[in-house]
Amino acid sequence: MNDLVLRDVDVVDGSGADSYRADVAVDDGRIVAIVKEAAAAGCQRPTGTRLLDAEGLVLAPGFIDMHAHSDLALLRDPDHSAKAAQGVTLEVLGQDGLSYAPVDDRTLDEVRRAITGWNGDGSDLDLDWRTVGEYLDRLDRGIAVNAAYLIPQGTVRVYAMGWEDRPATDDELLRMKQLVAEGMEQGAVGMSSGLTYTPGMYAPDAELTELCRVVARYGGYYCPHHRSYGAGALEAYAEMVALTREAGCALHLAHATMNFGVNKGRAQELLALLDEALDAGADISLDTYPYTPGCTTLAAVLPSWAHEGGPEALLGRLRDDATAERIRHHLEELGSDGCHGVPVEWDTLEISGVTEPGLTGFVGRRVPDWATARRLLLEDRLGSTILQHVGHEENVRAIMRHRVHTGGSDGILQGAKPHPRAYGTFPEYLGRYVREEGVLSLEECVAHLTSRPAARLGLRDRGLVREGYRADLVLFDPGTVAAGATYENPRVLPTGIPHVLVDGRFAVEDGRRTDVLAGRSVRRAAG
């Protein structure tokens, strides 16, 4: 007698193969039997403590969010419906080079302030870990969905040498390599960078290459937010391909977009660059979200030199009129490296969240000028987040079709009006780009969201509907699945996803979030 049997369900197994009708039995957290065309064959059907008539629903592996910013949200909000309701059963944390382990007390305090806009300042939580392993142990106490972790290169740099804009000394580089090795040994799946964020952007290629060699030694991958998604984007992609090939390290390109006016219609140039490298033997994958605007902190668009010394040093420069004028000049006339080398167009920046209650009137409004931006940065102490309306639909569509594409929400859950991708990425793929517009077939899209990311993460028992695999599963109605989140109402849950299982237990049942916390850390396999 199994725990659960799903009867007469249409299985889209994650491999890209055609769907088929089957009974699927789950027991003790794993898929234990798949009986194809069980009703028609007249064979012995599996039995279970619970039978669920799933006719009309698609059964797929749980979706893997390859780019998530739920590092504190998973601890703060046990419900976590933003992801669970989408069918996400695994998130990859530690993105863009800045997160909360490994740290000492100084580093933790500084990083908390630097990425308040992504995750809140953490003052509502007991941040009782310091190492990667201790953070993963904290997740293992029980979370809504599973989570893997990337070692954040920017945090490692802060730990070893602070926020200085200079090459590391030999001793500092050795310390960074030790921190990366320790994190990989404790279960991280790779390393991330934020190369338009400080202090990650201060690292020269030689430093990054040495760290990637360590990651490669443990079978992990490098996930850079590279140095430009605007002016010089193709050169930035080529830089990451060359760097990782020299290091012998697998490469996963984070939110692999081509943005700003200079890149309109240029996705095929990026894909040609990647195809050439893949055909020559490079190990490359990428993720995207199915939307055109980006999302980040308002402070992120400032030039890198303004951030040197950390958050308090930046606030001091913003208070000084002469230095603030120099920042404006870089932003508006020269093109800030924080704004991807493109002179800022203020009307493309929309305030999505603030931390100071007195500033909530700015949420949902475009930033009119530097004076307003400066006021927000100072009064919100760098906590403001923005939507950046700089993407192109034709680029989004072209990249999502690529042979190494996977899905990643890049979902920031903070702010009164977050990007709808945080609540809508996966049903948006299935509803809009599969059912409504046919950009991808259902079977192909599910493979992008399940088996491909599982392969990148090195997971041997997730990402497919197979006997013996983990029962991280989603059931959805292919005729009605859709994102509910919009730019106007971004916290609306999706429709058409009635059931989500994490480790064989219902995290979502009949469209409602249960109190199950079956998620745990998913650690890099040894050896």
Side-chain angles (χ1 to χ4, degrees), residues 1-5 7 25-28 32 45-51:
M1 184 69 69
N2 301 295
D3 293 335
L4 171 69
V5 174
R7 285 242 166 124
V26 171
D27 193 64
D28 195 24
V32 295
R45 305 183 76 170
T47 59
T49 303
R50 176 172 179 184
L51 301 178

Side-chain angles (χ1 to χ4, degrees), residues 245-281:
R245 295 209 74 184
E246 180 179 349
C249 186
L251 173 64
H252 180 84
L253 295 165
H255 37 59
T257 57
M258 293 285 286
N259 288 339
F260 302 90
V262 295
N263 289 317
K264 184 177 175 62
R266 299 185 67 192
Q268 293 302 334
E269 296 176 58
L270 166 62
L271 301 180
L273 183 157
L274 298 181
D275 282 334
E276 181 179 1
L278 287 162
D279 291 345

Side-chain angles (χ1 to χ4, degrees), residues 22-37:
D23 288 359
V24 178
V26 171
D27 193 64
D28 195 24
R30 293 189 179 270
I31 301 166
V32 295
I34 300 173
V35 182
K36 294 185 179 182
E37 303 294 346

Side-chain angles (χ1 to χ4, degrees), residues 169-429:
T169 67
D170 289 346
D171 286 345
E172 288 165 343
L173 180 57
L174 177 61
R175 181 58 177 141
M176 285 189 269
K177 292 168 67 174
Q178 290 171 338
L179 289 167
V180 171
E182 289 167 5
M184 294 299 296
E185 289 169 0
Q186 292 164 11
V189 295
M191 181 180 75
S192 75
S193 284
L195 301 181
T196 67
Y197 300 128
T198 55
M201 67 163 62
Y202 299 149
D205 282 2
E207 180 181 310
L208 297 172
T209 300
E210 286 303 303
L211 298 181
C212 283
R213 291 189 200 279
V214 178
V215 173
R217 193 164 71 238
Y218 290 93
Y221 68 92
Y222 181 44
C223 180
H225 166 128
H226 52 272
R227 297 191 193 274
S228 176
Y229 292 82
L234 285 175
E235 292 81 359
Y237 280 112
E239 175 191 9
M240 294 298 101
V241 170
L243 185 156
T244 49
R245 295 209 74 184
E246 180 179 349
C249 186
L251 173 64
H252 180 84
L253 295 165
H255 37 59
T257 57
M258 293 285 286
N259 288 339
F260 302 90
V262 295
N263 289 317
K264 184 177 175 62
R266 299 185 67 192
Q268 293 302 334
E269 296 176 58
L270 166 62
L271 301 180
L273 183 157
L274 298 181
D275 282 334
E276 181 179 1
L278 287 162
D279 291 345
D283 185 356
I284 302 172
S285 55
L286 60 87
D287 66 66
T288 69
Y289 46 83
Y291 299 88
T292 53
C295 180
T296 189
T297 62
L298 180 57
V301 305
L302 304 182
S304 59
W305 59 261
H307 292 264
E308 186 175 7
E312 289 302 320
L314 171 57
L315 288 167
R317 294 184 180 103
L318 289 165
R319 293 186 192 102
D320 180 76
D321 289 343
T323 309
E325 170 56 24
R326 184 180 168 212
I327 293 172
R328 183 209 63 78
H329 177 71
H330 275 255
L331 277 169
E332 295 184 350
E333 300 177 38
L334 300 181
S336 160
D337 50 4
C339 199
H340 305 272
V342 177
V344 68
E345 296 177 355
W346 292 114
D347 64 353
T348 66
L349 307 187
E350 177 186 351
I351 300 300
S352 59
V354 295
T355 59
E356 286 295 321
L359 300 173
T360 55
F362 286 96
V363 174
R365 291 165 49 187
R366 301 296 175 112
V367 179
D369 50 34
W370 166 240
T372 303
R374 183 186 179 194
R375 175 191 169 189
L376 281 165
L377 289 162
L378 284 168
E379 294 185 16
D380 208 24
R381 293 188 60 79
L382 313 181
S384 302
T385 52
I386 57 172
L387 300 185
Q388 201 166 9
H389 295 269
V390 292
H392 307 287
E393 180 68 18
E394 62 270 39
N395 287 348
V396 170
R397 290 167 180 259
I399 294 169
M400 75 169 63
R401 294 188 184 103
H402 195 264
R403 55 177 158 152
V404 298
H405 171 264
T406 68
S409 71
D410 197 11
I412 294 175
L413 299 169
Q414 288 293 116
K417 196 180 179 187
H419 197 303
R421 68 194 186 193
Y423 284 73
T425 286
F426 295 88
E428 183 78 353
Y429 271 119

